[in-house]
Amino acid sequence: MRNEVIRNKQGLTEKEFLKGYDADIYKKPSLTVDMLIFTVMDEEEENYRKLPEKTLKILLVKRGDHPYLGKWALPGGFVAVEESLDEAAFRVLRAETNIDDIYMEQLYTWGDVDRDPRTRVISSSYMALVDNSSLKVKAGNDEEDARWFEVQYNLLEEKKAAAERGYIYEQLVEIKLRNESDELSARIKITENPDGSVCREIIESEGIAFDHGKFIQYAIDRLRNKIEYTNLAFNLMPELFTLTELQQVYEVILGRELLAAAFRRKIASMVIETNQFTKDAGHRPSKLFKYNSAWRRDI
Amino acid sequence: MRNEVIRNKQGLTEKEFLKGYDADIYKKPSLTVDMLIFTVMDEEEENYRKLPEKTLKILLVKRGDHPYLGKWALPGGFVAVEESLDEAAFRVLRAETNIDDIYMEQLYTWGDVDRDPRTRVISSSYMALVDNSSLKVKAGNDEEDARWFEVQYNLLEEKKAAAERGYIYEQLVEIKLRNESDELSARIKITENPDGSVCREIIESEGIAFDHGKFIQYAIDRLRNKIEYTNLAFNLMPELFTLTELQQVYEVILGRELLAAAFRRKIASMVIETNQFTKDAGHRPSKLFKYNSAWRRDI
DNA sequence: TCAATAGTGTCTATTAGACAGTATACC
DNA sequence: GGTATACTGTCTAATAGACACTATTGA
C-alpha cells in the first residue's frame, strides 16, 4: 500500500530517500543476545530406597578474554545485521547444545549504559528450557569451557517503605550458582515503585560476569510465574515421567513444597497415563505418564 | 573484584585490551525505542441519565518523512550511545506528554531483519499508562501530528491443528484504530507452537507504519494479563473515582463485561472509600474511592 | 517385615459466577 | 414518578489446602 510516488519535504520519492539514507551518521550501541539455558537434573542418592533429588541447573561459560576474564557468563553473542534477533538467539543456542527443537522465549532487553566495559552494549536475554535426558552439551567448542551450575534463589530481605504516593517494596535476592569446583553468587535488589514499575540493581556479584546475575533473577521470576499457568514445565521433562518427578520439577522451580493430592488434581488434564511403570525402585512402582499435547489452558 | 593484572592469551591486561577494543569492526543494527502510550477516555453521551462510555486510546504520530510517509506510527526514536534504554524511552515519552511520573514498562524487543526499509533496525517497545485527566499531549511539537486513536481488539478466528508433536493453535486478531478522521487496521496471526512458544506475524496493515500493529496486539495481551493481578489499572484512573468507573476501565481493557458484585469483591482491598460522592448524575450518586496505596497482591 | 514412595478420598475454606432485590438522586 | 445507576445479599459451583488413609514394591 506504500505509494512510491509520494514525495517528502525535500521532494524525494521513497526510493530516492532510501538510496540516500545513511544509517551510520550517528554512533550506535552494539547489540548482543544472551541465553539462559535451564535444565533439571537428578542428584546422586546413596540410599537405594530414596528418590534422587532434582536440581535446577543453568549453563554458564567461562570467559576466555577480557573483560571479566576467568569469570562465568551466560552464553551469548553479537547480533549480526543479516540475522533476526531470534535467529541470533538460536545460533547461540546451537553453539552450546546438540538439540534443534528447543523451547525458547525472549525475556528482557538490558540497556544500562555501563553494563559492558568494552563499549556500549545492549543485550536481549532469551530463556531456553531443555530436557536433560535428550541433551548433550557441546564440550570445548571454540575453546569454551561450558558448565552446568546448580541454581539457588534465596529471598534474603523484604522491606516496605512509605513513599510520596504509596509504598515502595524492596526485595534483596541472592542467587547462588554451584558446581563441583566453583561457587558463584549475586545479590540483586528489586524495587517495586508505587505505580507498580520494577527496577533491578546488582548489589554484589562474585564470579559472575557483567550484570548477568540480574538476568538470572529475572528469568527465575518469569519461570515461577509461567509454570503456574502454562505447559512450560513439560519442556524440562522426558517423554515419559512419573507424577512425582513432574511435581519435583514444579517444586524445584517454585522453591517450595507442594501437596501431592492438590498437585495431581491441578495437572490432571495436562497428562495422559500410559500402562508402563517404573521398576527396581526400592518401593512401590510408579505409573508413567506423558504430556497431553491437546492440553490448553482455558481462557 | 576484577583483577587488572590478569593477562589474556595475547598477553594483554584488561586496560590494554579495552584501549585496543574497536566496537566498529562489524556492521551493527540500529536500535530504537517505540512507545505504546495508552489512556482511557470518556465518550460523549447525549442522554443526561446515561453514563459516558469509556474507550481505550493509544497515541500515534503521523509520519512526516519516508518510509511510510503519511501513515501512523508509534512515537519512537533512536537510542543514543550515552543514554540507557529506559532513558531513551523516557525521552520519547516526555517529547509527547507533559507528565513526569508516568508508569512505564518494557514489553518486547522486535528484531526481524526487514522490519524497517531504511536499514537494519531493532526496536524495543515500551508501554506507558497515563491518566487522561492529568494529561496534556504536546500538540504539534517538532512539526509532529500526534493524535489519540480508539483501540479495538477483535478475535476474528481461532484454529487448532494437529502437528508432529502436539497441536498448533492459531489466532487471527484484528486491531482497529479509529479517530474522527482516520480508520486504521492491522491483522495479526498469532501462532502457538506445541512447546508453548509464540510467534506473531502481520497479515495485513492499513495505515499503520512498520510492524507496529504487532506491537499494539502484544501490548493489549500484556495489559489484559497484568490487569488481573496487579494495580496497573490505577495508573489510568484519576485521584478519585467511582467503582463503576474503575469497572469500566477493566471492561474496556479486558474486552468483556464484568458482574458488578464479583468485581467489587475482587478489588475491595485495592481501594479506600472517601466520604465524597458524585453529583448531578441524573440518577443515584456514587461514592468516590481512591487507590489503597498499601495494597499488594499476596504471594 | 518395613522403609519409602504411590496414589486416593474427603473435609474445609475460599473464591468466582449468577442474579435477584433494594436504594437513591435528578429531571 | 420514572429512569438509570449504586450497591448488597445470597445461592451455587469450582477450586485449593490439609491431611488421613490405603497400596505396593524390593531388599
Side-chain angles (χ1 to χ4, degrees):
Chain A
M1 278 298 135
R2 278 154 46 213
N3 193 336
E4 301 287 344
V5 295
I6 296 179
R7 290 174 183 275
N8 70 3
K9 280 171 196 143
Q10 286 78 44
L12 300 174
T13 66
E14 179 163 18
K15 229 177 221 163
E16 293 160 352
F17 169 86
L18 291 177
K19 204 179 216 167
Y21 187 86
D22 182 6
D24 297 317
I25 38 169
Y26 297 107
K27 265 191 84 115
K28 291 186 236 175
S30 299
L31 189 62
T32 62
V33 290
D34 286 306
M35 291 296 312
L36 293 120
I37 308 174
F38 288 105
T39 194
V40 172
M41 291 185 194
D42 288 344
E43 292 300 296
E44 291 298 322
E45 176 59 57
E46 63 301 331
N47 182 342
Y48 80 98
R49 284 188 186 281
K50 283 205 170 181
L51 286 176
E53 258 188 58
K54 296 207 183 282
T55 54
L56 181 65
K57 304 263 187 178
I58 190 168
L59 192 69
L60 296 181
V61 163
K62 195 172 195 165
R63 285 199 51 82
D65 202 348
H66 297 300
Y68 297 101
L69 205 168
K71 308 286 183 195
W72 293 87
L74 296 170
F78 285 90
V79 179
V81 277
E82 73 278 2
E83 66 184 350
S84 76
L85 206 53
D86 287 359
E87 281 162 7
F90 267 119
R91 173 171 57 76
V92 170
L93 190 53
R94 263 195 305 272
E96 305 295 336
T97 66
N98 64 326
I99 323 177
D100 269 337
D101 59 329
I102 289 183
Y103 174 81
M104 200 183 75
E105 174 189 356
Q106 190 193 111
L107 293 180
Y108 195 81
T109 301
W110 305 87
D112 279 359
V113 172
D114 296 321
R115 51 174 303 281
D116 190 317
R118 288 171 291 189
T119 179
R120 177 72 200 285
V121 179
I122 287 169
S123 170
S124 281
S125 58
Y126 279 75
M127 171 169 79
L129 303 181
V130 295
D131 152 32
N132 177 240
S133 69
S134 66
L135 178 75
K136 207 181 75 194
V137 167
K138 289 183 186 170
N141 68 312
D142 48 32
E143 307 169 12
E144 262 187 0
D145 194 2
R147 292 285 168 80
W148 290 105
F149 284 77
E150 180 186 340
V151 183
Q152 265 175 44
Y153 183 110
N154 305 313
L155 178 56
L156 297 184
E157 209 179 293
E158 261 187 317
K159 209 162 84 182
K160 172 180 173 176
E164 256 185 89
R165 61 195 85 226
Y167 289 89
I168 293 175
Y169 295 88
E170 267 183 26
Q171 290 189 337
L172 185 62
V173 171
E174 177 186 58
I175 302 291
K176 274 209 174 295
L177 306 172
R178 248 177 280 233
N179 214 341
E180 317 79 51
S181 44
D182 287 280
E183 179 168 327
L184 324 174
S185 72
R187 291 183 176 207
I188 294 104
K189 189 171 83 178
I190 303 148
T191 309
E192 196 181 321
N193 299 308
D195 67 3
S197 61
V198 177
C199 289
R200 284 174 174 77
E201 192 188 340
I202 293 197
I203 298 301
E204 198 187 300
S205 191
E206 283 286 347
I208 304 175
F210 304 103
D211 47 357
H212 289 178
K214 268 202 278 196
F215 292 34
I216 298 172
Q217 189 280 326
Y218 185 94
I220 294 172
D221 248 22
R222 178 85 69 110
L223 263 180
R224 288 187 173 180
N225 196 16
K226 278 195 102 167
I227 202 176
E228 300 273 20
Y229 65 95
T230 69
N231 60 359
L232 190 132
F234 295 94
N235 293 300
L236 296 164
M237 305 304 295
E239 187 68 24
L240 296 180
F241 50 83
T242 70
L243 295 187
T244 302
E245 284 172 335
L246 184 61
Q247 183 175 339
Q248 285 176 319
V249 168
Y250 272 76
E251 287 175 338
V252 82
I253 287 175
L254 292 172
R256 61 187 168 91
E257 311 241 299
L258 302 174
L259 289 166
F263 177 76
R264 279 155 191 256
R265 262 187 318 225
K266 199 180 147 100
I267 53 88
S269 67
M270 301 173 81
V271 295
I272 297 173
E273 70 175 40
T274 68
N275 36 30
Q276 292 172 265
F277 286 82
T278 56
K279 273 193 291 218
D280 311 318
H283 48 77
R284 175 173 170 180
S286 182
K287 187 170 273 185
L288 289 168
F289 288 76
K290 60 180 183 182
Y291 174 58
N292 173 12
S293 63
W295 177 85
R296 206 175 182 221
R297 76 174 186 281
D298 22 59
I299 311 155
Chain B
M1 280 295 135
R2 281 156 43 213
N3 192 333
E4 300 288 343
V5 297
I6 296 179
R7 288 172 184 276
N8 70 3
K9 279 171 196 138
Q10 286 79 46
L12 299 175
T13 66
E14 179 165 18
K15 228 177 222 164
E16 291 161 355
F17 168 87
L18 290 177
K19 204 180 218 165
Y21 186 86
D22 181 6
D24 297 317
I25 40 171
Y26 296 107
K27 265 192 82 119
K28 292 186 237 175
S30 299
L31 188 62
T32 61
V33 289
D34 285 306
M35 291 297 312
L36 293 120
I37 307 173
F38 288 105
T39 195
V40 172
M41 290 186 196
D42 288 344
E43 292 300 297
E44 290 298 321
E45 176 59 56
E46 64 299 332
N47 183 341
Y48 80 97
R49 286 190 186 277
K50 284 206 170 181
L51 286 177
E53 259 188 58
K54 295 209 181 282
T55 54
L56 182 65
K57 303 262 185 177
I58 190 169
L59 191 71
L60 296 181
V61 164
K62 194 171 197 169
R63 285 198 51 79
D65 201 348
H66 297 300
Y68 297 101
L69 205 168
K71 309 286 183 196
W72 293 87
L74 297 170
F78 286 90
V79 179
V81 278
E82 73 279 1
E83 65 183 351
S84 76
L85 206 52
D86 287 358
E87 282 163 7
F90 268 118
R91 174 172 56 77
V92 169
L93 190 52
R94 264 195 305 271
E96 304 297 336
T97 66
N98 63 325
I99 323 177
D100 269 337
D101 59 329
I102 290 184
Y103 174 80
M104 200 184 74
E105 173 189 359
Q106 190 193 109
L107 292 181
Y108 195 80
T109 301
W110 306 87
D112 280 359
V113 173
D114 297 320
R115 51 174 302 283
D116 191 315
R118 288 171 291 187
T119 180
R120 178 72 200 286
V121 179
I122 288 168
S123 171
S124 281
S125 58
Y126 279 76
M127 172 168 80
L129 303 180
V130 293
D131 152 32
N132 179 241
S133 69
S134 65
L135 179 75
K136 206 181 78 195
V137 167
K138 289 184 187 170
N141 69 311
D142 49 31
E143 306 169 12
E144 263 188 0
D145 194 2
R147 292 286 167 81
W148 290 104
F149 284 78
E150 180 185 337
V151 182
Q152 266 175 43
Y153 184 109
N154 305 313
L155 177 56
L156 297 182
E157 209 178 293
E158 261 187 314
K159 210 161 82 181
K160 170 181 174 177
E164 258 184 87
R165 62 196 83 224
Y167 289 87
I168 292 174
Y169 295 88
E170 266 183 26
Q171 290 190 337
L172 185 62
V173 170
E174 177 185 58
I175 302 291
K176 275 210 174 293
L177 306 173
R178 248 177 280 235
N179 214 340
E180 316 77 53
S181 43
D182 288 280
E183 177 168 328
L184 325 174
S185 71
R187 291 183 177 208
I188 295 104
K189 190 170 82 177
I190 303 149
T191 309
E192 196 181 320
N193 299 306
D195 67 3
S197 60
V198 177
C199 290
R200 283 175 175 78
E201 193 188 339
I202 292 198
I203 298 300
E204 200 186 299
S205 191
E206 284 285 347
I208 304 175
F210 304 103
D211 46 359
H212 289 178
K214 269 203 275 195
F215 293 32
I216 298 172
Q217 190 280 328
Y218 185 94
I220 295 172
D221 248 23
R222 178 86 69 110
L223 262 180
R224 288 188 173 179
N225 196 13
K226 277 196 103 167
I227 203 176
E228 300 274 19
Y229 65 93
T230 69
N231 60 0
L232 190 133
F234 294 94
N235 292 300
L236 296 163
M237 304 304 294
E239 188 68 24
L240 295 181
F241 49 84
T242 70
L243 294 187
T244 303
E245 284 171 335
L246 184 60
Q247 182 175 341
Q248 286 176 320
V249 168
Y250 272 76
E251 287 175 338
V252 81
I253 287 175
L254 292 172
R256 63 189 166 89
E257 310 241 300
L258 302 174
L259 288 166
F263 176 77
R264 279 155 190 257
R265 264 187 317 226
K266 201 179 145 103
I267 53 88
S269 67
M270 301 173 80
V271 294
I272 297 173
E273 71 175 41
T274 68
N275 36 31
Q276 292 172 264
F277 286 82
T278 56
K279 274 193 290 215
D280 312 317
H283 48 77
R284 175 175 169 181
S286 184
K287 188 170 272 185
L288 288 167
F289 288 76
K290 59 179 182 182
Y291 173 58
N292 173 11
S293 64
W295 177 85
R296 207 176 182 220
R297 76 175 185 282
D298 22 61
I299 312 157

